Amino acid sequence: MRDGLVRQHHRTLRLLGSLLLVAVGVCATGAAPARAAAPTPLDRVVPAPASVTPGGAPYRITRGTHIRVDGPREARQVAQYLADILRPSTGYRLPVTTRGEGGIRLALTRGDFGAEGYRLSSSPRAVTISARTPAGLFHGVQTLRQLLPAAVERDTVQPGPWTVAGGTVTDTPRYGWRGAMLDVSRHFFTVEQVKRYIDQLALYKLNKLHLHLSDDQGWRIAIDSWPRLATYGGSTEVGGGPGGHYTKADYQEIVRYAASRHLEVVPEIDMPGHTNAALASYAELNCDGVAPPLYTGTAVGFSSLCVGKDVTYDFVDDVIRELAALTPGRYLHIGGDEAHSTSHEDYAAFMDRVQPIVAKYGKTVVGWHQLTGAAPAEGALAQYWGLDRTSAQEKARVVKAAQNGTGLVLSPADRAYLDMKYTEDTPLGLSWAGYVEVRRSYDWDPGTYLPGVPEGAVKGVEAPLWSETLEDSGHIEFMAFPRLPGVAELGWSPADTHDWERYKVRLAAQAERWNALGIEWYRSPQVPWGAQ
Ligand code: ACM
């Protein structure tokens, strides 16, 4: 029913949009082509670029344009990715070449771009994206997409013209951690659904996909040494649906696809709480030796691994070993939130035994910020998900940990949680952290959010999306858009570009792109969408 409501809303909007287009077409008959508009200004991009110098005549992609790239395979893959975006809508061949003058050029160079930065220069002769790494080229390609008309995103031939304003964009991210979390446990999402979200994250230069792979309602990753976790623990979800799990090959396909979009997968196995699916699958993991039934509700805080049993650590070792072997990224997230059924002493003892296991398998620990109530391992990151009303004592623990070297990823629930309802009328989502409209999700500064945290301790931001109420890609998108691009901007753009009045205009310009891509979105009254 919720799905129906959202879709109905969007069908109505699309219908209105089509009628408007027809009206424009009728008015424009016999006049100059309505589309010969000025090219998109170089600064009308989300996230806001670090530096923009407009000037000179625009570049125009034509039937004769080629995409030149020289460099390793990863650079050629970025050129191929760009060609795959441009070919269907332009109808041009756009061959990827290693030679030739002019055209679109991707160049790996030694410049001072940082690990993920790039420079985009546009003139009538060429558009050149220069970067030190393929990731930088990839982010530059995202900027180029947004400088072209939104119709470039369509998968059928469009009229053009395909112009890029003249000038130079020089850009590099503020933070190295720009994440999005998807909860595939409360409701399971297929590999194809996850790939679709990955493509949407890439558009806004995010670079971490945190997958919440286990919770009370479902275990979603095959573990060979404990097979019932997936086959039984993964066999349902919130509301009692069939759930599902990723085979190792499925998970590796997600990792591969994410890497092709320059995102690193951060897998999470939540423990010692949020473990009913595991406890239901193996009786020996329970202190009383009795497996509870599978759970399909939405309560939290009722489950715990048995901290005093040795088999618990054999289990954790096996799971982390197998998951680490499948994961090329640096990080492994061990959850640690809402362990309300575990005493403080047991929680600290558990984390003291589990964190070295993560290190043993070559990974860096990430935990929800409750980890700072135990002893975070050296180099660990804590993901802060508190909110304005979080106690001063709890905030002080996080600040102290940061002062002692624990890095922070900021996901304040009343700002960055994409599953919070926008308003009381939002048909999807939860509201325990309050309503989070678009301005609220954008209008904060990660650098000063927790007073007392040393500047270098903030590693970045992440937008979690919990899926208690979300069942398909349309639901994911309706909650993520338009808030996700705002969190992405907080992670990428320099603090001095932060300005709601200007941001909302750049954000509004994105809607035409979402429509072209078939992305569902919430038409927030705070944003001047225009005729979209
Ligand atoms: C959380 O929202 N329980 C991390």
Side-chain angles (χ1 to χ4, degrees), residues 146-291:
Q146 290 192 28
L147 294 176
L148 288 163
V152 80
E153 308 293 348
R154 296 203 179 269
D155 55 12
T156 55
V157 177
Q158 306 292 314
W162 308 107
T163 50
V164 180
T168 302
V169 175
T170 308
D171 207 4
T172 196
R174 181 178 183 189
Y175 294 115
W177 187 296
R178 304 181 308 280
M181 187 212 80
L182 185 62
D183 171 12
V184 296
S185 184
R186 270 51 176 273
H187 281 99
F188 181 65
F189 296 99
T190 64
V191 173
E192 288 311 309
Q193 288 170 319
V194 175
K195 285 183 177 178
R196 183 174 165 85
Y197 198 42
I198 287 171
D199 279 330
Q200 294 162 2
L201 304 179
L203 192 51
Y204 295 101
K205 303 186 175 77
L206 294 176
N207 68 355
K208 301 275 183 286
L209 173 65
H210 167 184
L211 286 175
H212 185 74
L213 290 168
S214 69
D215 213 304
D216 292 319
Q217 298 86 348
W219 185 285
R220 305 302 180 201
I221 178 74
I223 299 293
D224 295 338
S225 49
W226 298 75
R228 265 174 67 81
L229 292 170
T231 57
Y232 183 69
S235 66
T236 191
E237 59 188 359
V238 166
H245 70 269
Y246 306 121
T247 64
K248 289 191 167 181
D250 288 340
Y251 176 81
Q252 286 174 303
E253 175 59 13
I254 291 171
V255 167
R256 185 203 65 76
Y257 193 82
S260 78
R261 271 69 178 148
H262 295 274
L263 283 118
E264 177 177 352
V265 171
V266 180
E268 179 188 353
I269 299 295
D270 203 346
M271 50 189 145
H274 289 279
T275 41
N276 189 78
L279 298 168
S281 303
Y282 288 97
E284 64 264 43
L285 294 177
N286 296 270
C287 284
D288 63 3
V290 179

Side-chain angles (χ1 to χ4, degrees), residues 43-77:
D43 59 359
R44 193 169 301 163
V45 171
V46 177
S51 158
V52 171
T53 312
Y59 175 76
R60 182 165 174 176
I61 300 176
T62 65
R63 192 165 298 285
T65 300
H66 54 252
I67 300 174
R68 175 179 160 187
V69 60
D70 23 35
R73 191 168 58 93
E74 292 84 0
R76 293 199 304 277
Q77 283 169 342

Side-chain angles (χ1 to χ4, degrees), residues 337-338 368 385 417 466:
D337 58 320
E338 294 175 314
W368 297 105
W385 62 284
Y417 268 34
W466 301 98

Side-chain angles (χ1 to χ4, degrees), residues 10-24 515 531-532:
H10 282 267
R11 262 200 304 274
T12 311
L13 288 178
R14 288 222 185 89
L15 184 61
L16 280 173
S18 314
L19 290 173
L20 276 169
L21 278 180
V22 170
V24 169
N515 290 342
Q532 294 315 311

Side-chain angles (χ1 to χ4, degrees), residues 338-376:
E338 294 175 314
H340 304 321
S341 301
T342 316
S343 71
H344 175 71
E345 291 68 30
D346 277 358
Y347 181 86
F350 178 83
M351 288 304 178
D352 282 349
R353 282 186 73 170
V354 166
Q355 292 182 94
I357 298 174
V358 176
K360 179 169 81 170
Y361 293 114
K363 301 300 178 191
T364 297
V365 168
V366 189
W368 297 105
H369 76 255
Q370 282 71 24
L371 181 63
T372 62

Side-chain angles (χ1 to χ4, degrees), residues 421-488:
K421 290 176 182 289
Y422 297 96
T423 71
E424 62 179 343
D425 296 328
T426 307
L428 300 166
L430 306 176
S431 58
W432 61 263
Y435 303 121
V436 182
E437 251 289 6
V438 179
R439 179 170 186 169
R440 186 168 174 80
S441 71
Y442 165 81
D443 224 354
W444 58 285
D445 177 7
T448 56
Y449 185 74
L450 283 176
V453 168
E455 202 179 309
V458 177
K459 303 304 176 190
V461 295
E462 185 172 300
L465 184 49
W466 301 98
S467 66
E468 286 94 333
T469 67
L470 312 179
E471 298 176 20
D472 60 32
S473 288
H475 291 173
I476 290 174
E477 291 159 17
F478 185 75
M479 301 311 279
F481 291 88
R483 290 179 291 198
L484 176 79
V487 180

